[in-house]
Amino acid sequence: MTSVRRPTIRDVARLAGVSHQTVSRRLRRDPTVSPMLAAHIDQAVAQLDYRPNLVARAMRNRSTGRLALVLPAGDARHSLELIGGANDAAQAAGFGVEVVTLPAGDRLAERIGQLADSGLYEAVLSLTDLPEAERPRLGTTPVVSAPVYDRKLRGVGPLSEADRMAEVVTGLAELGHRELLHVSGDDSHPSCRRRREAFQRTLTQLGLPEGATIDCRWDPGRASRAVSELPASSGITAVLADADVLAAGAIRGAGESGRQVPEDLSVSGWGDLPLGSWMHPSLTTVRIDHHRHGVELLEELLRVMRGDDPSMDHPSITEVVWRESTGPSPDSARER
């Protein structure tokens, strides 16, 4: 049997050219460590794939080295990316993360309070915002709640931000499109409602005709039928979908009705699934940086643990990615 020695904090210190006490302070995110030394230490940690010995630290400091990340029970693919970002930020600070899913209900705040009081975690990050009246009254264990998901694991807060919808509508208008169709996911989702509002509001601001919205309830088959059944007299030359899978359905419906994308019909999606960049044509979409969102949330928790003020600088986690599925409107193309 072959054993492999795990790298130690002294190995990190040796590679970074600093003392092990300095490495320890960096792992605790001590602000007195200079940016240059911090960069050397971070590089050494990554190169050695160093992981702090949480058990030993707990024995020394009477701390567990563990943080709880709480979210509602449910199924959301992007929650894995967010959790991954939070885990990366926690490990960089010398903590381990345990994900705890709790059923939605009136006792959610009480359950979070029990987790915090259990002594198992040094802090708790709830990805469901808790109203002030529901927040648990605790001793010294920090609890931070953030508006990421509602109690049915539907995106809220930054995940439901709809500014990119206005950007896509404006971009299509600049390409000559005047009649637009919004293929919506499910109006019970805050994100869909906000995008619908942004869609109509932007059309009004640009002086364009009121656009139609079709609720497809995340079903690409409905999106396909909605587009394939568009009458030739509709004048619609662009479709904006609330998800990449709906956009894929819209592109299929366009083909079934004899329309080419983007020559006859421009199509955009939302979410930037990896397959979108490999579609033909490649899909214009809105990218959401779930990983960075997770990093920022965990770093906010660490600031609270240190007693620092919350960060006020949080750039948008969304951006429009323009690709081949959108182009000039047919009328604009003919005028060229």
Side-chain angles (χ1 to χ4, degrees):
M1 180 181 295
T2 302
S3 63
V4 179
R5 185 178 72 88
R6 292 178 56 188
T8 68
I9 194 171
R10 293 182 184 276
D11 295 327
V12 175
R14 191 176 303 112
L15 182 59
V18 299
S19 68
H20 70 274
Q21 293 93 338
T22 302
V23 174
S24 178
R25 287 192 291 120
R26 172 56 183 165
L27 293 177
R28 298 196 306 271
R29 285 301 190 261
D30 188 328
T32 63
V33 179
S34 72
M36 183 179 69
L37 289 181
H40 285 311
I41 294 169
D42 291 347
Q43 184 177 3
V45 167
Q47 184 173 333
L48 295 174
D49 192 25
Y50 171 70
R51 296 292 182 268
N53 189 327
L54 300 179
V55 174
R57 185 173 72 176
M59 292 175 65
R60 290 193 305 271
N61 303 336
R62 295 184 180 181
S63 61
T64 66
R66 295 190 297 179
L67 308 174
L69 192 66
V70 181
L71 70 162
D75 180 22
R77 178 191 62 84
H78 50 69
S79 67
L80 297 178
E81 299 175 42
L82 188 150
I83 291 168
N87 187 60
D88 288 347
Q91 288 194 352
F95 289 96
V97 168
E98 292 187 11
V99 178
V100 181
T101 58
L102 295 176
D106 296 337
R107 297 185 60 216
L108 180 62
E110 180 184 341
R111 296 287 298 277
I112 291 174
Q114 291 170 352
L115 279 177
D117 283 338
S118 68
L120 296 174
Y121 306 105
E122 294 190 39
V124 177
L125 173 61
S126 169
L127 299 184
T128 300
D129 196 24
L130 301 174
E132 192 68 40
E134 293 185 24
R135 292 179 186 176
R137 298 182 180 276
L138 306 169
T140 59
T141 303
V143 174
V144 171
S145 66
V148 180
Y149 303 108
D150 66 12
R151 301 194 181 191
K152 293 185 178 181
L153 205 63
R154 297 175 298 200
V156 296
L159 293 183
S160 65
E161 180 257 309
D163 290 350
R164 280 342 114 217
M165 174 62 81
E167 187 175 335
V168 174
V169 171
T170 301
L172 290 170
E174 291 173 350
L175 290 170
H177 296 275
R178 293 187 53 79
E179 299 284 350
L180 282 66
L181 171 66
H182 175 211
V183 175
S184 177
D186 183 339
D187 234 21
S188 68
H189 287 243
S191 58
C192 293
R193 294 196 298 272
R194 293 183 68 180
R195 290 172 202 165
R196 179 198 292 257
E197 293 165 0
F199 174 71
Q200 296 295 351
R201 182 173 60 250
T202 308
L203 291 176
T204 300
Q205 292 171 348
L206 296 175
L208 296 178
E210 182 179 353
T213 295
I214 300 177
D215 188 346
C216 292
R217 306 188 68 80
W218 309 116
D219 182 352
R222 293 191 182 198
S224 178
R225 290 190 295 274
V227 172
S228 66
E229 294 171 1
L230 284 174
S233 59
S234 69
I236 290 173
T237 59
V239 176
L240 295 80
D242 272 352
D244 286 353
V245 292
L246 296 178
I251 291 174
R252 182 179 183 89
E256 291 175 350
S257 61
R259 296 179 176 92
Q260 292 185 312
V261 176
E263 291 81 1
D264 303 315
L265 189 72
S266 287
V267 178
S268 69
W270 201 289
D272 194 26
L273 293 178
L275 187 61
S277 63
W278 292 97
M279 291 171 56
H280 182 70
S282 58
L283 183 63
T284 290
T285 188
V286 174
R287 177 178 296 150
I288 307 174
D289 195 339
H290 297 285
H291 185 276
R292 177 163 64 84
H293 194 197
V295 169
E296 291 173 349
L297 290 167
L298 202 286
E299 289 180 343
E300 192 69 41
L301 181 66
L302 294 174
R303 275 190 286 273
V304 171
M305 293 172 67
R306 294 193 299 264
D308 297 341
D309 293 331
S311 172
M312 304 304 292
D313 182 22
H314 291 297
S316 174
I317 60 171
T318 61
E319 64 173 322
V320 179
V321 182
W322 295 97
R323 296 195 183 112
E324 299 166 342
S325 65
T326 49
S329 71
D331 291 339
S332 297
R334 283 192 290 268
E335 292 172 0
R336 294 185 176 184

